[in-house]
Amino acid sequence: MRIIKARDYDEVSRKAANIIFSVMTEKPDCVLGLATGSSPVGIYKELVRRYEEGDLDFSKVTTVNLDEYKGLDREDPQSYAYYMRENLFSHVNIRSEKTFLPDGREADSQKACEAYNQILRQAGRQDIQLLGIGHDGHIGFNEPADHFPKETHCVDLAESTIEANARFFESREQVPTQAYTMGIQNIMAAKQILMVANGKGKAKILKEAFQGPITPQIPASILQLHPNVILVADEEALSEMESC
């Protein structure tokens, strides 16, 4: 694993965007695995800025997102489809038919998951997969469990995840309790994985994930087995990791 230290969130975002920029420059028709939440917002702003300056072209890019809430329409402001349009897709020249997320509108979980697995197979391996990390070590919506889920599946969100996501909703009661998410196998298929983290609150889990045992109780720990992982994090987030 390669660790890149940054001063703060803004520098984390710039350095992570540099890595994605390099992938897109080397392979204009790359497959980008994308994430949502607060961590990637700065990255997407930086990529939009570079597009506006004429340095990036999204016209041949395919994107596959990690997850989507079950039960939310794509036009719902809290859906990840809406998030992606607001933060990236509507600001660049990407083709909408080449942007993919699980279909939160599909009530049949098996149907939704099988459909997204087929999309992932057709898209091919992600050239780079962007990840954040939850305080409990979840990646995507792969929560702590007794096994590592392989492919796209429907997950009951942990109480800690619901609490963490409540800030994006008007009330806690509005937070969906289920989501469709790529499985660990889907994530590990990426040629390169880019994780971003910032703040003291992520220090403990980063140490456990990357310097502790590999266990499905800390889903991110599986990344220790991936041959090409880059962690971009600020000094506070890295403060408990040895040799950082």
Side-chain angles (χ1 to χ4, degrees):
M1 182 180 69
R2 177 183 171 199
I3 298 176
I4 299 176
K5 185 181 293 187
R7 291 186 303 273
D8 52 25
Y9 176 82
D10 289 339
E11 190 172 29
V12 167
S13 298
R14 286 193 300 272
K15 290 188 173 184
N18 286 342
I19 295 167
I20 297 174
F21 176 87
S22 295
V23 171
M24 293 179 64
T25 301
E26 292 175 8
K27 188 179 179 184
D29 60 345
C30 62
V31 179
L32 299 181
L34 301 181
T36 53
S38 56
S39 296
V41 171
I43 298 171
Y44 296 146
K45 285 182 178 178
E46 182 67 14
L47 293 177
V48 169
R49 182 186 69 80
R50 295 187 183 198
Y51 165 76
E52 292 174 341
E53 292 177 353
D55 295 327
L56 271 181
D57 177 17
F58 286 80
S59 64
K60 297 180 181 179
V61 169
T62 298
T63 66
V64 290
N65 263 74
L66 284 168
D67 40 37
E68 178 60 282
Y69 287 120
K70 181 179 180 180
L72 292 191
D73 187 84
R74 292 181 178 181
E75 301 304 318
D76 190 304
Q78 302 303 335
S79 72
Y80 289 148
Y82 187 95
Y83 168 105
M84 291 306 307
R85 291 196 301 273
E86 288 294 297
N87 287 287
L88 182 62
F89 296 159
S90 65
H91 304 288
V92 298
N93 65 332
I94 198 164
R95 294 164 56 189
S96 60
E97 66 269 22
K98 297 189 74 173
T99 62
F100 299 101
L101 299 90
D103 189 355
R105 302 167 298 182
E106 177 56 67
D108 185 327
S109 297
Q110 182 176 351
K111 185 177 179 180
C113 295
E114 288 178 352
Y116 201 55
N117 283 328
Q118 181 61 26
I119 286 170
L120 294 175
R121 285 191 286 270
Q122 290 177 344
R125 294 174 63 195
Q126 307 95 300
D127 290 285
I128 188 167
Q129 175 65 58
L130 178 62
L131 295 176
I133 184 170
H135 289 91
D136 59 1
H138 72 253
I139 49 177
F141 273 131
N142 291 283
E143 301 281 10
D146 58 3
H147 68 288
F148 291 109
K150 289 185 177 181
E151 294 191 303
T152 307
H153 57 288
C154 181
V155 62
D156 294 323
L157 301 181
E159 286 299 316
S160 59
T161 301
I162 293 172
E163 289 289 347
N165 291 344
R167 67 187 187 277
F168 301 116
F169 293 78
E170 291 185 7
S171 68
R172 186 186 182 283
E173 289 68 32
Q174 292 181 342
V175 184
T177 58
Q178 292 184 309
Y180 297 131
T181 184
M182 282 188 197
I184 296 298
Q185 181 175 291
N186 301 130
I187 293 171
M188 292 290 283
K191 299 172 187 176
Q192 184 176 40
I193 290 176
L194 171 62
M195 176 176 280
V196 294
N198 65 282
K200 185 68 175 176
K202 296 296 175 71
K204 181 175 182 292
I205 194 59
L206 284 181
K207 178 178 175 60
E208 292 176 350
F210 291 110
Q211 297 182 335
I214 298 171
T215 168
Q217 289 297 318
I218 302 177
S221 66
I222 194 70
L223 299 179
Q224 295 181 46
L225 299 179
H226 196 283
N228 192 359
V229 175
I230 300 176
L231 171 63
V232 183
D234 65 9
E235 295 174 0
E236 288 189 335
L238 294 172
S239 60
E240 293 192 24
M241 290 187 67
E242 299 169 10
S243 303
C244 286

